[in-house]
Structure formats: C-alpha cells, structure tokens
Amino acid sequence: MSDTSQEVVRAYHARTKHRFEAYAEGPGQLDWDAQPAAFRHYAGAPLLELPLAADRFERCYGQLPKPPENLVTPDLNSLGALLELSFGLSAWKSWGPNRWALRCNPSSGNLHPVEAYVLAGNFPGLGDGLHHYDPENHALEGRALVPPGSEAPWLAVGLSSIMWREAWKYGERAFRYCQLDVGHAVACLAYAAALLGWEVVPVAADGKQLAHCLGLDRADDFPPSRYNFTEVEEPEILLALRGPGLNAPPTAQALGELLSRADWQGKPSSIDAAPGYRWPAIDQVAAASRAAGISEAVSLAPLPALVPHPTTAGTAALIRQRRSAQRFDPRQSLAKSAFYRMLDALLPRPQSPWLVLQSAPRIHLLLFVLRVDGLPSGLYLLPRTPEAATELPAALTPADQRFAGRRAVAEIDPECPPHLGLIQLAELGLQELQRLARSLSCHQDIASTSAFSLGMLAEFEDATSNGHGYRDLFREAGLVGQVLYLEAEAAGVRGTGIGCFFDDPVHQLIGLAGQRYQSIYHFTVGSPINDERIETGPPYPQRS
C-alpha cells in the first residue's frame, strides 16, 4: 500500500471520531419505513434449499475446539449446519405490527451489511462454482456454475459488505461498523466449523480478484445510475474450510479463471432505490484499505491450554440464543471464575476461532470492572500479547495519581491465572466508575449497569502502516466481540457490542497520547433484563 493509502485511512479514522462536543457525520433523520432491504436475492438463479440440520451435530460448548469423536464428513447436511449457524436466522421478533429477523451473526443496529457466498468443487450434492447464500430461506442461489471437475472436494466462503445498509443509519462511521460485522461473521463461521470438527483459514486474495470471484465486478448486474452506490458490494475476505476429505481450494487467481468460463445466472435485487444521503468518505477509505492479496504469516504465542468450559449447554443452542442485551440488571453480579474464564478465552491461541486472523493480534482491553464478585471495582488492563504486556502499560501516562499504584492481579488474587497478565490500573468507587463508563460510551446505561464493560485498544499506528491493516484491526475487534458473546451466553449472562463511544476521551482517561493506540470498539457483559412485550418466533416457520 502507498503512503497515500496510509494517509486516507488515518484521516478517515480521525474524522469519524465521536467527541463530547459533536458526533461523527451522520443522517439528520431516519425514515424507518424506507430502510434498505435486509435481504438480497438473485432472481432467476437456480435455488437449492439447504437442510436445517444443525441439531444433528450438536455437542457441548465445553468440548470446542476439539473435533467430535465421529468425524463429520462434507455433505449438504453438514454444509447446511455450517451456514445456518454462521449466517442463518436464529429467530423472528415481533412487537405489535413490527416484525424483524435476528441472525446467528450479530450486526450493528441489526442492519447486516455482510453477504456470504459459497465456492465449491466436487462437493457432494452441490454444483461446482459460485453460490450466494440466502439467509431468509436458508438456501443457495447458483450464481456461476461450471462443469464438474475431477479433483477432490473443496469448499470456500467469500464475504462482501453492502455498506449502504450501515451508512443509511450511521453515516460516515459506517465503514468501521461494516468491518466489525465482518469480524463477527468470520468468528461465527469459525465456531460453526469447530462444531463440525472443521477449521477456517484465510485465503490470499486482493480486492480485484475477490470481486471477480464473487461476481461483484459484473457491470451488467449492477447497472450505473445516480443511486448505484446503494447496490455496490465491497469484497471483504475469502476463507477456506478444512475438514475430513476437503482439499485446499484453488488460488484466488485460479478461481477467477474458472469462473470466467461459467454460466452466470440471476440478477441482484435492489437494496435502496432512493437514498437521502451519500458519504464519499466511505468510498475513499474502502478503496484505500482493499487487500493487496498478500497475507501475513500469523504466529501466535504459546499459552497454557484453555480449560474446557464447565457449561453443559450445546454449541448450536448457544449460537442460536445469542442476543444483544438492551438493558442490564445492576443488582446482579458475575462470578469471578466466570470473568477470568472469559478473559482467558480472549487470548489468541493457535486454534479456532483465532486461525482466521490475517495479521498479528493487535487488540488489547481496557476493562471497567463494575460487579465481579471478589474483585474490587476499577480500571483494569488486559494486554493480549507478550509484547503488549510490556509496551502498552509503559505508554499509559495518566495524570491521576490513583493510577500510580498499578498491580498485577495475579499477585494479589491467587485465583487469577498468572498467564492472563491482567493488570489493575486503579481501584475506583462503583459510582465514579459507573459515571466514567456511561459517559465514555455515549452516555449509554448498558456500559455502567453491567458486570463489566470494556474498550478495545488497537495498535493503530503499526497496523495502519498499510491500508488493509485498518480493516484487520476492526475485524479482530469483531472476532474478540463474538468470543465474548458466546462466552457470556455460556456463563448464563449476555453481551452487547457498543459502537458508539467518545474516542479521544477514552485515551485521555488513561494517558494515551498520539496515534500509537486507538480505542476502536466497546463491549459490555452483564445480567440482561428482557422485554416481555417482544414476542419470539421460529427462524424458518415456512419449513416447520
């Protein structure tokens, strides 16, 4: 990437920060009756209805990521389970005349910019070529089919973003949220694959190659118009599935050559024919941050094995029941053992879901510990790599003298696993900590009424030395968030991602200066208060 790409992504990040005195640029008002279409379909493409087979492969969440005793072979049942638990619907919600879908992969504002595509060769029951996944009907639409080959079966998943779905509501900051959603979606795929005993790894592909492999560069399918920007899909990532009997997929270049001879079918449905705004900054940062096709060899530090989770809950059940809590009960607290387990699960080990990382881990956690039994309320720091354990604390220079007595938690609490490297920055009273957490997360109560909330501190300067590293930061943050979502469900509580926070005030709180570290995502975990007025229905009632 050129210096210009570096400048563009850094300038975009600066201009899309929320500040106490002003929020990032967004729409002045929202017309909820004119919301962009939540589902894209390809009319005219052959449709393959997939089995709703996830329950056939159910096993305890505590057994992951170890493979099942009986290897799951690739077929339409296992493929159906993989896509159902990654990108499929988990429920329909209704309140009065309003009805909306929930999906297994979370999304900012439940807007779901991510589209999923399946590329396959000699896969049992599936035509060779490119298929679009339709989550509304749990089906595959055959976009580009080629004659069967003679090689062993292979399977890959490509993701794109329809960024207008997020920009419609969030304006210029939407590119950040799209990348977070990609991270969540990739993690969902990794967890669903782990249930089957499979693995997910990235495949090197530059933006142009991936667009061609997913059929996103077909001008006749997306004809030019004044509002064409609402229909554009941004190529994001290509992922290979590894499992029993599955070979590595062809390279991105070979896939492109294969599909250039394909019979293309189907026309994409419209997302929004009459948008009220346009955000050129999103187009600029998207162009500046596209992948160059070169993947960094990711080396993860050796750590003690993650102790199996004590829950007896099933993996598919937890994935389907995952929700973003809207309110928390401040009278409830979290057991310290559950808190330490969640943090331990966030350390990047050479196993699922961390095998999907495209670059070295660069996300670390600033924790607002509010209601964890046996742990004093206050600010804590979790560096997630050995290098950051030394460098990040040294970069903190807060003026408040209460930060002068920082301590390693393992030295004062024998229950804290030493390899966590958890640091207590300052012990603060609950009321003061609540005010801090709430005010920094755009004055949202969910950051202060939970058991703990956190800000994700990214090694921003190093990562943005090239444009694509900017995407990698947010994707890693989304991956961390997805692990927290499922770990919270397994512990009997609930999580919520927080995209709205005041960027620089977070840095000022702990004495971070310059651009070396930047806060890019917040999250909160606690005991949810459910709204009994909202009714829940099955995800696919038409298939019952």
Side-chain angles (χ1 to χ4, degrees):
M1 286 290 179
S2 66
D3 291 341
T4 302
S5 296
Q6 177 192 99
E7 293 166 2
V8 170
V9 298
R10 290 180 178 178
Y12 168 83
H13 189 77
R15 73 175 284 151
T16 56
K17 289 182 176 182
H18 288 323
R19 298 172 173 82
F20 281 131
E21 60 273 17
Y23 289 90
E25 288 293 325
Q29 59 185 11
L30 292 176
D31 180 1
W32 287 99
D33 292 329
Q35 183 175 339
F39 302 102
R40 166 155 273 171
H41 302 284
Y42 283 87
L47 196 67
L48 174 64
E49 191 174 80
L50 292 169
L52 291 166
D55 289 335
R56 303 185 191 184
F57 307 103
E58 181 66 295
R59 59 193 181 104
C60 181
Y61 178 77
Q63 296 175 356
L64 299 188
K66 293 181 180 179
E69 293 182 4
N70 298 316
L71 293 179
V72 177
T73 56
D75 60 16
L76 285 184
N77 287 317
S78 52
L79 177 61
L82 179 79
L83 296 175
E84 177 188 351
L85 297 178
S86 302
F87 314 113
L89 305 188
S90 59
W92 281 94
K93 293 284 188 177
S94 60
W95 182 19
N98 301 309
R99 183 173 180 262
W100 63 97
L102 298 183
R103 303 194 199 183
C104 290
N105 58 312
S107 172
S108 306
N110 199 34
L111 297 172
H112 292 282
V114 175
E115 295 287 322
Y117 294 82
V118 172
L119 296 118
N122 281 337
F123 193 92
L126 187 63
D128 286 18
L130 173 70
H131 306 260
H132 172 256
Y133 177 63
D134 169 12
E136 186 176 21
N137 298 297
H138 188 50
L140 288 174
E141 298 169 306
R143 284 286 284 134
L145 302 180
V146 298
S150 58
E151 68 275 10
W154 57 268
L155 186 67
V157 172
L159 301 182
S160 68
S161 290
I162 301 177
M163 294 191 176
W164 177 246
R165 285 187 179 136
E166 291 288 335
W168 169 81
K169 181 178 181 180
Y170 294 116
E172 288 189 346
R173 202 169 166 101
F175 181 81
R176 296 183 179 210
Y177 300 158
C178 287
Q179 296 311 309
L180 290 172
D181 280 10
V182 171
H184 280 289
V186 168
C188 285
L189 184 65
Y191 273 109
L195 173 64
L196 302 172
W198 302 358
E199 292 179 338
V200 182
V201 294
V203 177
D206 65 35
K208 186 176 181 179
Q209 288 174 328
L210 184 54
H212 187 61
C213 289
L214 303 184
L216 307 181
D217 58 353
R218 294 175 57 79
D220 290 343
D221 290 350
F222 302 90
S225 72
R226 180 181 176 187
Y227 301 121
N228 189 52
F229 66 93
T230 66
E231 309 303 318
V232 171
E233 291 187 37
E234 174 71 18
E236 295 289 3
I237 191 171
L238 183 62
L239 301 153
L241 275 297
R242 298 198 302 209
L246 285 176
N247 274 13
T251 65
Q253 182 176 350
L255 282 173
E257 294 171 355
L258 178 70
L259 294 173
S260 65
R261 303 188 298 271
D263 177 20
W264 287 85
Q265 301 182 68
K267 294 291 183 181
S269 57
S270 176
I271 301 300
D272 189 348
Y277 298 87
R278 184 164 188 167
W279 308 107
I282 294 177
D283 300 330
Q284 293 163 8
V285 72
S289 61
R290 288 190 186 117
I294 302 172
S295 293
E296 178 181 335
V298 179
S299 178
L300 301 178
L303 288 166
L306 183 62
V307 176
H309 199 288
T311 185
T312 58
T315 304
L318 289 180
I319 290 173
R320 288 193 186 111
Q321 77 179 42
R322 182 216 58 79
R323 303 284 187 272
S324 293
Q326 304 300 310
R327 296 171 60 206
F328 291 110
D329 187 348
R331 297 168 299 179
Q332 303 297 320
S333 59
L334 180 68
K336 185 168 57 175
S337 58
F339 176 68
Y340 287 150
R341 157 69 198 203
M342 287 184 199
L343 299 189
D344 203 359
L346 297 178
L347 298 182
R349 292 173 166 85
Q351 63 185 43
S352 292
W354 307 108
L355 296 178
V356 300
L357 288 174
Q358 289 184 287
S359 58
R362 289 193 171 100
I363 297 295
H364 315 288
L365 308 184
L366 173 66
L367 296 143
F368 299 77
V369 175
L370 296 144
R371 297 170 182 85
V372 175
D373 291 335
L375 203 59
S377 60
L379 287 170
Y380 292 73
L381 184 68
L382 181 70
R384 293 177 58 247
T385 63
E387 297 79 14
T390 301
E391 296 171 2
L392 180 53
L396 307 183
T397 56
D400 194 324
Q401 290 303 307
R402 288 175 295 180
F403 288 83
R406 64 182 67 167
R407 300 180 293 178
V409 175
E411 295 178 0
I412 56 178
D413 182 5
E415 297 179 46
C416 179
H419 68 268
L420 272 186
L422 184 63
I423 300 169
Q424 184 190 59
L425 295 178
E427 186 173 337
L428 301 175
L430 179 58
Q431 289 189 340
E432 180 183 5
L433 189 62
Q434 286 184 133
R435 286 195 297 270
L436 275 174
R438 182 190 297 112
S439 62
L440 292 173
S441 288
C442 294
H443 311 294
Q444 297 178 81
D445 285 339
I446 54 173
S448 63
T449 53
S450 58
F452 70 94
S453 57
L454 58 89
M456 299 189 193
L457 303 176
E459 297 174 17
F460 182 81
E461 205 164 51
D462 287 347
T464 56
S465 61
N466 67 73
H468 192 261
Y470 189 58
R471 297 195 191 208
D472 288 343
L473 283 183
F474 283 95
R475 292 174 185 178
E476 184 188 349
L479 176 54
V480 169
Q482 191 61 22
V483 175
L484 275 171
Y485 264 125
L486 293 187
E487 286 288 316
E489 294 290 341
V493 290
R494 186 148 284 171
T496 298
I498 302 176
C500 186
F501 53 88
F502 297 113
D503 301 57
D504 289 338
V506 174
H507 310 150
Q508 293 160 8
L509 170 67
I510 54 177
L512 283 176
Q515 294 190 355
R516 185 176 180 186
Y517 297 98
Q518 296 279 290
S519 182
I520 64 169
Y521 190 26
H522 284 206
F523 206 91
T524 185
V525 174
S527 299
I529 299 175
N530 297 318
D531 190 338
E532 301 299 333
R533 299 171 298 176
I534 298 177
E535 298 181 359
T536 301
Y540 297 101
Q542 72 274 27
R543 304 278 293 273
S544 298

